[in-house]
Every structure is written in structure tokens, then in C-alpha cells.
Amino acid sequence: MTYQTVDFDQVFESERKSINKRRAAFGRGRVALQREQSSSRDLDDDSEVLRPTEGSAVVGLALSGGGVRSAAFCLGALQALDSTKALDRVDYLSTVSGGGYIGSSLTAGMTENGGKFPFTSELSEDEPLSLQHVRDYSNYLFPKGAADLSRNAAIYLRGLVANAILVMLFILFFAAITVFFNPIAGEYEANFLGVHIWNPFPFQHFVVTIYLGITVIVAVVLWALFRSWTGAIEIPTWKAGDTRSRVAAIAMWIVRFLVFLTAVATFFELQPFILEAVYERGGLGFFAGFNKWIQGILIALGPLAAAIAFLSRRIGEAVKSAMESERIRDRIIGWAGKGAIYAAALIVPLFLWLLYLLLAYWGRKQHGTSDFAGPSFIVDSAIYLHRFIGSWCSCSSCLGWLCSGSTTIVAQFYLLVVTGLLVLVFFLRPNANSLHPLYRDRLAKAFLFKPQTLLREGQSELDPLQLKLTGLSDESAPYHLINTALNVGGSKKVNRRGRNADFFVLSRNYVGSKTTGYVPTEAMQKVVGGLDLATAMAVSGAAASSNMGSATIKPLTPTLALLNIRLGYWLRNPKWVNLRVRLFGWANFYFLLEMFGLLNENRRSIYLTDGGHIENLGIYELLRRRCRVIIAVDGEADRQMAFGSLNTVERYALIDLGVRINLPWGQISEVSKAIGKVIDAKGDALKYAGPHVAIGEIEYPDKRRGILIYIKASLTGDENDYIFHYKRRYGDFPHETTLDQLFSEEQFEAYRALGFHATYRFFDREDWFAHLDRKDSKNHEKDIKFLDRLFPLAAKRDPAWKRRHNKFVGWFKDEEAAPDILRTKAEGEDKAKAS
């Protein structure tokens, strides 16, 4: 069956049908559509754009990135949403990275057990087995300690060796070419790959380069004459029927190719001088000493470079934060961090260049002798190969160039090894030897399991659950959107704004992006057999990689790729899903594109990484679907409480979707920072009933409105004792680094309990929430009344907590409910305005 890529309208219609199935199970009305007048379309596209009506009240839930920290916080939020029955109203679940861990666990569990929530929060002697399992595997990378450490190290080493095979293939090939250009040290003759060429010049060096340079000049002159005579357009195209433009395009490509060949020839003809300066007898002492000095630096700083590469994302975030600081000391630290990144970026490429020079040196004969500089095992192997080939071929045969002389026998041996490595490469797979399989399997073990109420006799833990994306139920669970980043750093069209990435979604019905188009998930699963829920979850959380979308550190890209610090995933491009011929070993050479950041949307394979590499909240795709209400659970690390990811999605939404967001997040920031400082200084703080939540407005095209409920990992002082106790000892809580993926039971519970506290007390109307001023928004009170209708107060409640209001709108009108910190500030601002 042949599949065609489709645009978003068809994807949304498919999702609407799935959502209506679940709505029917809860007795909710179907999603109705209306035309969106102001949506931009191509001039030749007169089709209607249909989006949900406001009355359809489509509800989306977004779970942010942030590793296990976010997974724990979002787990608590999900438990609260289930306890207050708000989860029953959710149509879409949009997850990123760590939010996808627990989000995938939720949708898989609800699919398996017919819609029953797998992590029920209740007071009982034993927790539900599903919740116990997630707690037990909160240290998911090393659940068995030292045994897992050695296993993970072995898997990493395997990937490193696989990378080395591909890289050594090119290094040996380049070393062989260098030897063919100049096989005997100190003796120079005009040649091309060992073949003598006519030399009319009064010198022996750079003859090939001169020939190619003359050819470039002639080609450019002819191109200039053609341009003058025909008046062809300046930017050549292949426009049908325009012969002049086609010829101009051909001319441009010829000139570019010739310039490339000239640069290559110059490089290879320059290397003998470098070899003589660094290695050969009589070489310049300065360069020989410089070489030893560089080697010493590489040995000393190699481990440091590896450490910087592993911590690259964290270091990059720290550098960015420091460079934006007003303090001189912070900016100095930022410059130092940037210098460390560039130093680390140079070490691995420099090591490979020196390795190439050493191999070329080993392959050359020493001047005036018959000896080679290489180790005896290489030279002896090369001699044996030369004799073997000479015993059954003549110099007039097709292999004559191999047996015609003894000066290049080591280079010939290099080419034989290159051939063997090339064969090996064709048996490797691009995703098999990165860190992705290890990461996927660990996450699947921790978060994808069959929910059970009791263990069978002899059963020690829950059974694993292997589930295809198409196996997710559209009746038992919200429609799951798994957000990833499509890396397109080398795209001339998509990357004009410098984002280095586009939004790519994996879901039950369709996979794809606006850039590549969308194809049915079933079609992609046929082409990519390993594309299941576990893979999608791992790809969405592939935080460490050579290419990281908008978070890419370009100087470190080759180093990260070469050191196999790669959690990303190569997927067949939706545009090429009908390609019958499998890529086999050729796909391994996409590693080179990954290494040099030459990824784009048109190749047969595309590279996907963490959705947080473009948008870390999961809100963007819900805005694209015009959700009437979006509940965003933000568990990312944000020590400054600057809401950076929210600011990013606000910019993307306005530029890409024509959607404006207005959220009073500053009120949460001020209270949480003040409470955190007091706890750090005194070990105690005033106890405020909120805000952990802010309610804001979403302005869609055609003056349609939406509501954003933003739940932030924050402190207000009224959290329970063990949350308070954890905060006293770990000052960064609740924004400890995402690098920490080895959570203890106490740490996991602190975040889970905080997520439950913040979400439950809001939906149970027990906490004040940040909101817009009624003077600034005429419709905000109507929006909050709508939330009272959409999320009615649940009958079940915790008697330990007293409720001040029974409706959201009651808190909205209660001016005295705001924390003293905010009311004091507001009064000061009013006085300042009056004066």
C-alpha cells in the first residue's frame, strides 16, 4: 500500500474522531468544528481550515520536560487530577521528555486496564503496585547498582567502537591518499595518486593544485561571459522551460565542484611538508617539539574533554545564564565556561588529525633507505599483501597498480583495511550502537508495565508491557501527543530563524511535522520495526546528543558524536516512507551528517531528539489544536523562577500560530523565591495558601479565546512536613539539576507530594491562584466561571484541609486572599502611581 504525506488538517480530523470516542464514554458532547477565517494558506489552496468551536471545550494537559524530577512532580499532579475527576475531562495529553515518562506510563496503563487510573492516591497499608513499581525504579539508569554500571559501560564502549570503525575508515583512506601523493620522504615528483603527470612549471610542489586552480579560473571566465551574453538570472533555478537558468545552475555547480577539488588537492599536497616538519629526520625542531607538546596536552586534557562533553547541556545553560547576568563575576565565569567548551571541542578533532598524520608517516619510505617508519606488524602485513597480489596478477592487469611497485605497499594495506571496515559498516545499524537502546530499555523497564492489583505466586515485580503506538487506546485514555525535536541545523529553508529544529510529533494515528508532512503511524511502523511506545518515550527524552535543536552547542557537535554521547534517534523521513529499498549500511553514513550538523528535512532519514530542544512544556501542539483549556504542569529546573520555557513558547506561538498568551506568572515567582530564601535562612517560613497556579488568557485567531491553567513547581510555605524537611537540607529544591537522574525514595516522594499538593489544592478550591486583574481583562471573570462549570467540585475531599471557597470565582473576587508579599507590593505600586 502506498501512503501519501498529509497536512495537519487531516491529522486533526483523525484525532477528533479518536477524542469523540472517549468523550462518548464519559457522556460528553462531540467536538464540533467551525471555519477559521484568518488562518494563512498557500495562494493556490482554497480548502477550509476547520478548528474546534469554543463550545466544544477541548481540554489539553501538558506535562513538561525535566527528567525524573518532572516525572515525579507530574505524577503527583496526575493523581490530583484523578482525585478531583478533572482527568476525565482531558482530551489531549501532550508530553515532553520527563513528562513523557509518566505520561507514557499513564496512557499505556489505562490502555491495558480499560481506562482505570493506574496510580490511584489513597490512604491504605500498601500503595497500588503501579505506584510502588515507579518508586522502585526512580533510579532507573542503575536500579541494580554496580551490576548496571558495568553493563552500561560495556554498552557505551560498544557504541564507541562502532563509531571508531566508521571514523577509522576515513582516516586510513586519507592517510593512503597522502602516501600516494608523496610515498618517499624528501623526494617530490609531480603526480596524481602516484601517477606521474606532465610538469611544465619550474617547481615540483603543488602541481595538481596549480592545474585545478587554472581550471577554476577558466571556468569562472566562461561563466562570466555566459552571464554577460545571456543575462541569466543571478540566482540560478531549474524553472521549467528556462534554458538559460538551467545552464547558469550547471555552471555554478561546476565552479563549486572545481573549487572543492582544488581545496582537497591543496590539503593533500601540503601534508608532506607538515609530516617532514613534525616527524621526518631533519625536521624543524620547533614543530617536532610542538607536536610532543600537543600530544601531552591531549593526554592530560582528554578526560576533561570527555567530562565537558557529557555535561555539555548543563554547562551550556550555565554559560548562557552567566552571560546574561549583570554581575561582572558571573560574566567572567561565563567567559571561562565558554572557553572550556571551545577547548574541549578542539581536543578530539585534533587527536584525529594527529592520528591521520601518524598513519601517513608510517606509510612513507624513509629517504635513501628501503625502510618504512611504521611498526613491524603493519609493514610485515603490507609486504605479505604485496607478495600475495603479485603472485597471481600481472602488472598489466586491473590490479597492476597494486603490484607495480614497493613504495606504496603500506598505503595499499591501508586500502585493504578500509575495504574490510566498509564491509563491517554495512552490517551496522545507525540506532543500534548509540546510547538510545540502553536509554529506551531502562525507561521501558521503569515506566511501561502491566498494571496489577496483586502479584501472582512467585512474581516479584510487574510484567513489562510492550506496546506499539497504534496499540494505544483512543477510548480508555486521552489522545497522547509525544513531542520531539526534528533537528534541521543544515536546512536552508526551515532554519532561517536559527532554531535548528522543528516540532515533530509521534502519536497513535499519525507521525510527522509541518516540515516533513505527516504519515499514518501504521505506515511508519512497517518501515521502522522498532518504533513503539518505548522508543517514542525515549526519543522525546533524548536530552544528551550531538545535535540538540535550539540547545545545540555547535563547537561540541563533532566531539559529542565521536564520543557516542548520543541519545537521539534516526527515523525514516515521512516524505520517503514509501521507499521500498532499505537503506542498509548506507544509513550509517548519516552519522557524518550528524557529526557536522548537516541535518535537514529532505534526506531519507531524519534525526529526532528531546522535545525540550525546541519547546519544553508541550503547550505548542495544544495551541495548534485550539484547545479551549490547557492545563500545563511545569516541573522543569528553573532556579531563578524566570519561566524561560513559557517565554519561549509564547514567542513561538505568536510568530508561528498567531496565538497570544497572557499569564500572570510573576506572582508565583515572587512568592516562591521569597519563601525559598526564608527557608534557607531560617528553616521556616510563613504559610500561604497559594499560589502554585496561575490562570491566564489565550487569544486565538478570529478573536476566539482559551484558558491556560499553569501549575508550577513552587513553594508557598504550607507544604507538608517532609517536603519542608527536604527543602531545609537541599536548598535547590524544587529545581534540582536535571543531571540528577538517580532519585532516592525521599527525593522522588518530595517532588510527587509537591505536585499533588499544588494541583489538588487548586482543583479542590482550597488555594488562591494568580490571575489577571479585572481592570486589565474584561473576560477573565467569565473564563474562571467557565472553569467552575467544566471542572465541578469533586464530592471526595481531604478533611485535613479547610476550604475557604467552593468555587474558583470566589477566590478571584477575594482581594484579601492574596499573600501579604503580593498585596504589600501592589499597595506600594498604587502609592507610587498616585504620587
Side-chain angles (χ1 to χ4, degrees):
M1 182 176 179
T2 300
Y3 296 93
Q4 300 295 327
T5 57
V6 301
D7 59 20
F8 176 74
D9 292 341
Q10 291 173 263
V11 173
F12 177 69
E13 177 59 25
S14 169
E15 294 172 356
R16 185 176 74 96
K17 292 177 181 177
S18 293
I19 288 171
N20 282 334
K21 291 181 181 179
R22 186 165 187 266
R23 284 190 160 213
F26 285 99
R28 297 178 63 197
R30 297 173 63 84
V31 175
L33 301 178
Q34 67 182 43
R35 181 177 181 181
E36 188 168 275
Q37 301 284 345
S38 57
S39 292
S40 61
R41 308 290 283 185
D42 294 334
L43 294 177
D44 57 349
D45 188 351
D46 58 357
S47 61
E48 290 187 328
V49 177
L50 300 177
R51 294 292 181 265
T53 61
E54 286 190 8
S56 296
V58 176
V59 178
L61 171 62
L63 305 182
S64 80
V68 175
R69 180 194 60 249
S70 180
F73 183 79
C74 292
L75 170 59
L78 288 171
Q79 290 178 307
L81 292 171
D82 174 66
S83 298
T84 57
K85 304 302 179 184
L87 190 60
D88 297 344
R89 316 291 290 186
V90 173
D91 299 303
Y92 279 107
L93 175 64
S94 178
T95 64
V96 183
S97 193
Y101 301 171
I102 199 64
S104 298
S105 190
L106 172 73
T107 51
M110 295 180 76
T111 294
E112 183 70 12
N113 64 9
K116 183 179 179 182
F117 184 73
F119 307 109
T120 306
S121 176
E122 56 187 21
L123 296 177
S124 60
E125 184 173 348
D126 291 312
E127 289 182 315
L129 292 176
S130 297
L131 186 54
Q132 290 183 36
H133 182 92
V134 171
R135 285 192 195 279
D136 291 343
Y137 281 90
S138 59
N139 181 8
Y140 69 94
L141 287 176
F142 304 100
K144 297 180 180 179
D148 284 320
L149 179 61
S150 60
R151 181 175 182 272
N152 293 356
I155 292 174
Y156 171 73
L157 181 60
R158 180 189 68 193
L160 207 58
V161 170
N163 283 359
I165 290 173
L166 187 59
V167 173
M168 283 302 298
L169 185 155
F170 289 96
I171 291 178
L172 284 168
F173 178 77
F174 292 148
I177 297 300
T178 302
V179 173
F180 279 120
F181 264 103
N182 186 242
I184 302 176
E187 295 183 11
Y188 299 96
E189 180 185 7
N191 74 92
F192 180 73
L193 298 181
V195 178
H196 176 76
I197 59 176
W198 179 61
N199 181 14
F201 308 109
F203 48 80
Q204 292 292 327
H205 307 298
F206 297 100
V207 175
V208 175
T209 300
I210 296 297
Y211 274 127
L212 288 172
I214 293 172
T215 306
V216 169
I217 293 173
V218 171
V220 169
V221 170
L222 293 176
W223 185 20
L225 292 174
F226 174 81
R227 176 75 177 83
S228 301
W229 293 338
T230 63
I233 60 175
E234 193 63 36
I235 302 178
T237 66
W238 286 92
K239 184 177 179 181
D242 190 348
T243 304
R244 292 178 303 171
S245 295
R246 289 187 177 186
V247 174
I250 294 172
M252 175 178 286
W253 279 107
I254 290 174
V255 171
R256 292 171 67 178
F257 180 68
L258 289 173
V259 169
F260 171 75
L261 284 182
T262 304
V264 171
T266 302
F267 172 82
F268 283 115
E269 291 193 304
L270 176 65
Q271 299 313 300
F273 292 95
I274 297 177
L275 287 170
E276 182 175 349
V278 174
Y279 291 111
E280 310 290 0
R281 288 175 296 179
L284 300 178
F286 169 78
F287 289 100
F290 180 75
N291 175 52
K292 292 180 180 179
W293 183 69
I294 289 294
Q295 291 178 8
I297 290 178
L298 290 177
I299 294 173
L301 298 185
L304 178 62
I308 292 175
F310 272 103
L311 303 176
S312 58
R313 188 179 183 190
R314 177 63 177 168
I315 293 174
E317 292 171 354
V319 168
K320 181 179 179 181
S321 176
M323 296 301 293
E324 294 174 351
S325 174
E326 296 180 357
R327 299 170 60 184
I328 299 297
R329 186 181 67 178
D330 290 344
R331 299 187 69 177
I332 292 174
I333 293 173
W335 282 110
K338 184 175 289 189
I341 288 175
Y342 278 95
L346 285 173
I347 288 176
V348 173
L350 186 58
F351 169 78
L352 295 179
W353 180 63
L354 291 178
L355 178 60
Y356 148 74
L357 286 178
L358 183 61
L359 289 169
Y361 166 63
W362 286 350
R364 302 172 77 202
K365 268 193 172 183
Q366 301 302 298
H367 180 67
T369 72
S370 60
D371 299 330
F372 290 89
S376 59
F377 75 92
I378 291 181
V379 177
D380 292 344
S381 299
I383 292 173
Y384 176 80
L385 170 67
H386 181 72
R387 290 174 179 172
F388 175 76
I389 294 177
S391 66
W392 60 274
C393 76
S394 65
C395 291
S396 60
S397 69
C398 60
L399 295 176
W401 68 277
L402 281 176
C403 63
S404 58
S406 60
T407 57
T408 59
I409 59 174
V410 175
Q412 296 168 21
F413 176 70
Y414 286 168
L415 293 180
L416 177 66
V417 176
V418 166
T419 304
L421 293 177
L422 188 60
V423 173
L424 284 178
V425 166
F426 274 83
F427 284 96
L428 298 175
R429 293 293 178 266
N431 291 318
N433 295 297
S434 71
L435 292 178
H436 165 78
L438 170 65
Y439 185 52
R440 178 200 62 207
D441 293 345
R442 288 285 188 258
L443 285 176
K445 180 66 175 177
F447 293 100
L448 299 182
F449 47 82
K450 296 180 180 179
Q452 298 172 229
T453 55
L454 294 172
L455 293 176
R456 302 186 304 272
E457 184 177 353
Q459 184 182 10
S460 60
E461 59 184 23
L462 297 178
D463 294 330
L465 179 61
Q466 294 182 338
L467 198 63
K468 292 285 189 181
L469 283 172
T470 50
L472 290 172
S473 172
D474 52 1
E475 297 180 15
S476 301
Y479 190 88
H480 195 174
L481 304 172
I482 302 174
N483 296 273
T484 71
L486 168 63
N487 284 261
V488 288
S491 173
K492 296 180 180 179
K493 177 181 179 182
V494 179
N495 201 32
R496 290 172 180 167
R497 296 171 182 169
R499 294 180 184 177
N500 293 322
D502 191 19
F503 301 89
F504 195 97
V505 172
L506 303 167
S507 70
R508 177 189 183 275
N509 296 348
Y510 280 90
V511 300
S513 68
K514 182 178 180 181
T515 302
T516 62
Y518 301 84
V519 293
T521 305
E522 180 184 12
M524 188 63 74
Q525 287 177 165
K526 290 180 179 178
V527 175
V528 185
L531 181 61
D532 55 11
L533 181 59
T535 296
M537 173 177 59
V539 174
S540 180
S545 190
S546 52
N547 292 265
M548 299 184 289
S550 57
T552 299
I553 304 175
K554 291 188 176 181
L556 277 179
T557 295
T559 297
L560 290 168
L562 290 167
L563 293 181
N564 199 36
I565 305 173
R566 304 157 53 237
L567 293 174
Y569 187 78
W570 283 100
L571 182 74
R572 179 69 63 87
N573 192 329
K575 296 178 180 180
W576 293 88
V577 76
N578 292 314
L579 184 68
R580 298 300 180 187
V581 179
R582 291 189 177 273
L583 298 179
F584 290 111
W586 291 114
N588 291 296
F589 292 99
Y590 280 103
F591 171 75
L592 301 177
L593 304 177
E594 179 186 344
M595 187 169 68
F596 294 110
L598 300 176
L599 309 171
N600 63 45
E601 73 283 8
N602 295 317
R603 304 190 189 279
R604 295 181 180 181
S605 292
I606 51 177
Y607 193 63
L608 304 179
T609 57
D610 193 319
H613 290 161
I614 187 167
E615 196 267 296
N616 200 38
L617 296 176
I619 293 176
Y620 185 93
E621 292 297 336
L622 299 179
L623 295 172
R624 192 201 296 272
R625 288 155 176 81
R626 303 297 190 256
C627 289
R628 178 73 170 93
V629 177
I630 296 176
I631 305 169
V633 183
D634 182 1
E636 72 170 0
D638 185 9
R639 291 183 61 190
Q640 302 300 322
M641 293 296 285
F643 288 67
S645 291
L646 175 65
N647 297 329
T648 297
V649 75
E650 284 182 357
R651 183 176 81 249
Y652 289 164
L654 185 61
I655 294 173
D656 299 352
L657 307 174
V659 175
R660 181 180 287 110
I661 298 173
N662 187 12
L663 182 80
W665 57 267
Q667 299 172 31
I668 299 177
S669 177
E670 290 179 25
V671 173
S672 186
K673 286 195 293 186
I675 293 295
K677 289 179 180 178
V678 174
I679 294 175
D680 291 340
K682 301 180 179 180
D684 200 357
L686 294 174
K687 301 184 182 301
Y688 295 117
H692 296 286
V693 179
I695 298 181
E697 295 178 331
I698 303 171
E699 298 179 36
Y700 289 120
D702 289 353
K703 298 182 179 179
R704 290 196 289 172
R705 302 176 52 74
I707 304 168
L708 177 60
I709 302 173
Y710 200 99
I711 305 169
K712 181 74 169 178
S714 55
L715 299 171
T716 60
D718 67 337
E719 293 77 22
N720 66 36
D721 289 342
Y722 59 79
I723 295 177
F724 228 81
H725 182 60
Y726 188 84
K727 169 62 179 176
R728 289 192 190 101
R729 290 178 294 125
Y730 300 98
D732 288 342
F733 176 83
H735 301 290
E736 294 169 292
T737 174
T738 309
L739 288 175
D740 182 6
Q741 295 291 290
L742 310 178
F743 270 38
S744 64
E745 176 188 291
E746 179 190 22
Q747 188 177 15
F748 186 89
E749 174 58 18
Y751 283 98
R752 185 213 62 82
L754 180 62
F756 185 89
H757 171 90
T759 307
Y760 185 89
R761 287 180 65 87
F762 168 75
F763 279 95
D764 202 43
R765 280 65 163 183
E766 297 183 29
D767 268 4
W768 181 80
F769 51 86
H771 54 75
L772 300 172
D773 194 302
R774 280 180 287 182
K775 294 180 292 185
D776 298 330
S777 175
K778 298 178 181 178
N779 297 304
H780 201 43
E781 185 172 350
K782 294 180 182 179
D783 290 340
I784 293 175
K785 288 180 179 179
F786 174 76
L787 294 179
D788 277 316
R789 297 193 300 272
L790 182 65
F791 303 112
L793 189 63
K796 178 183 176 182
R797 65 180 303 272
D798 192 330
W801 289 338
K802 295 182 180 179
R803 186 187 294 125
R804 183 167 174 174
H805 295 288
N806 290 323
K807 292 187 176 182
F808 293 125
V809 73
W811 286 103
F812 179 74
K813 296 179 178 180
D814 190 347
E815 301 292 344
E816 298 300 317
D820 295 339
I821 299 170
L822 297 178
R823 284 193 281 112
T824 302
K825 180 183 179 182
E827 291 170 0
E829 290 175 348
D830 290 342
K831 290 180 181 180
K833 290 179 180 178
S835 63

